[in-house]
Amino acid sequence: MSAQDSKDLEMTQAPPANRSASPPHILTLVLIAAASAVPMNILAASLPALTDHFETRYEFMQLTITGYLFMTGFVQLFAGPLSDRYGRRPVVLAALFVFVIASIGCTMTTNATAFLAMRGVQAVSATGIVLSRTIVRDMYGPARSASMIGYVTMGMALAPMVAPALGGILDEIFGWQANFIFLAGMGIVIFGIAWNDLTETNAHRSDSFLAQWRMYPTLMRSRRFWGYALVSALSSGTFFAYLSGGPLIGATVFELSPSKIGLFFAITPLGYIIGNGVSGRFATQIGPSRMIILGCTMLTISLAIALAVQLAGAEHPFAFYAFTVFVGLSNGMVLPSANVGMMSVNPELAGSASGLGGAMMTFFGAALSAAAVAAVVKFSSPSALLVCMFTTAFAALLVAIYTVRRESVVAIAE
């Protein structure tokens, strides 16, 4: 057994940081995670309208999603170490406060550049995604955490299922500004709930933020951490590509209205809810490793079939959008177990691991989003988007196989 395997084994055997006697309600964790999921998706159906309003190109306005993803990556890099140093509760509350201010600011912008700047500040809400996972890991062991995170993200998935349709309806009736008024109100409500219910679960705070930041190389040297992080990034990358390219396909190829695009976008989160339900119910029995392999296999096969249908000449929009239910289903199975794998490499660095892994996921997602839009703009075809998604899914499957084999080395050593 190599020195690195020995280190991995020691880290895996470490107990959870804390088992709080009065943990926050699961609904609270769902809501603070949804504070990031809703603003990411609510504008999907409004991108063509925003392009017309600010009199710019779609590729530039698409930065409202790609740029948001990049900013959420940076936020997650800092949110994890900050929570390991100062605690989960104060970091979550501060992020929600800034999110409300930025949402109001978005409604007051007069040009596309100012709008994108405020949108970037709004990405501070990504703290909720990082720390909802971390809080669960604080309270449970690895296998149980995968199940609990599955339940948390299953509830959170209701947000992106409803958000695109809601955003499209608000856009058509009141204009795009109504989306941000809604987000500001949502942020105020979630802040109030978190203030009353979110107890502190970090029982092992680090001595300083810089000391915590310097622990990132420890994670980066672990091949197991890289494996789980890349599986998470590649699997979710298929969704991020669809999130950016799907609205353009709907508007230019199928000539759909914002509200209809939003309704079709509800298909994917529906699959995500089912996938998270499967993860929550069976992750403990099946095991995180097999759950990851099953999810990545399903993702690759479903996108291969979707691409074959398009190449066969399918023209109805449902023939394109219906297959995205499997994108959601597969990610719902993969992501909870992959996230727990990242945080279990060293439980004392659970917040940092969640933040670093989340940053890698969103940075890659942002890059893939930009590539997907470029492909759709050039070829004006659903097939171009599906090629990007299938290639990413196949890469996720290969990395998953490697990571599971790596995990088995540690298991055998035990």
Side-chain angles (χ1 to χ4, degrees), residues 47-406:
L47 288 181
L50 282 165
T51 301
D52 294 338
H53 177 85
F54 288 114
E55 298 179 348
T56 186
R57 294 178 298 114
Y58 184 92
E59 296 93 316
F60 182 79
M61 189 49 59
Q62 184 264 342
L63 289 173
T64 194
I65 290 179
T66 305
Y68 183 88
L69 289 175
F70 271 116
M71 288 305 298
T72 58
F74 283 112
V75 167
Q76 290 176 83
L77 282 175
F78 290 93
L82 280 171
S83 75
D84 285 339
R85 171 64 185 91
Y86 298 106
R88 319 303 186 203
R89 175 183 165 85
V91 175
V92 168
L93 292 176
L96 287 170
F97 177 79
V98 174
F99 170 73
V100 171
I101 300 300
S103 297
I104 296 171
C106 285
T107 67
M108 303 171 66
T109 56
T110 57
N111 60 73
T113 302
F115 173 78
L116 291 177
M118 293 306 301
R119 175 75 167 155
V121 176
Q122 196 183 37
V124 71
S125 63
T127 299
I129 289 181
V130 177
L131 297 190
S132 61
R133 297 193 300 250
T134 307
I135 290 168
V136 170
R137 185 60 183 89
D138 285 342
M139 297 184 293
Y140 302 99
R144 180 61 174 161
S145 291
S147 178
M148 292 303 297
I149 289 176
Y151 285 127
V152 169
T153 50
M154 179 175 63
M156 188 192 75
L158 289 171
M161 183 174 74
V162 175
L166 176 62
I169 293 170
L170 289 174
D171 185 339
E172 288 190 5
I173 298 175
F174 302 108
W176 61 267
Q177 292 91 341
N179 289 325
F180 293 95
I181 295 174
F182 170 81
L183 291 175
M186 180 193 73
I188 292 171
V189 171
I190 296 175
F191 180 91
I193 293 172
W195 179 274
N196 287 299
D197 183 61
L198 186 59
T199 54
E200 183 56 60
T201 60
N202 183 3
H204 301 287
R205 301 187 193 184
S206 58
D207 294 331
S208 72
F209 174 73
L210 291 178
Q212 194 67 27
W213 182 266
R214 285 194 292 269
M215 292 302 292
Y216 269 146
T218 302
L219 294 171
M220 299 291 281
R221 286 193 293 269
S222 170
R223 281 180 280 177
R224 288 170 58 235
F225 173 81
W226 272 102
Y228 287 120
L230 287 174
V231 167
S232 177
L234 290 164
S235 178
S236 63
T238 58
F239 170 73
F240 288 131
Y242 169 66
L243 182 63
S244 291
L248 185 57
I249 292 291
T252 60
V253 177
F254 299 121
E255 299 181 347
L256 301 175
S257 67
S259 59
K260 288 184 178 179
I261 293 174
L263 289 173
F264 275 119
F265 259 65
I267 293 175
T268 315
L270 177 61
Y272 193 62
I273 291 174
I274 297 172
N276 276 289
V278 171
S279 183
R281 176 65 179 83
F282 298 108
T284 304
Q285 296 95 318
I286 295 177
S289 295
R290 279 186 283 182
M291 187 67 74
I292 290 172
I293 293 295
L294 285 172
C296 288
T297 301
M298 181 184 300
L299 180 63
T300 304
I301 293 174
S302 63
L303 286 172
I305 295 173
L307 179 59
V309 169
Q310 288 300 314
L311 293 176
E315 297 181 354
H316 195 279
F318 191 75
F320 169 70
Y321 288 107
F323 281 97
T324 66
V325 70
F326 295 103
V327 174
L329 175 61
S330 302
N331 273 281
M333 296 171 63
V334 171
L335 296 184
S337 294
N339 285 321
V340 168
M342 285 188 286
M343 292 185 286
S344 297
V345 168
N346 186 342
E348 291 189 1
L349 297 176
S352 298
S354 180
L356 181 58
M360 293 170 60
M361 181 178 73
T362 50
F363 284 147
F364 183 83
L368 190 61
S369 294
V373 168
V376 172
V377 169
K378 182 175 181 179
F379 297 103
S380 297
S381 168
S383 298
L385 178 58
L386 287 170
V387 167
C388 293
M389 295 170 68
F390 169 76
T391 303
T392 306
F394 184 66
L397 177 59
L398 295 180
V399 175
I401 293 171
Y402 168 81
T403 304
V404 169
R405 288 181 177 176
R406 181 72 181 174

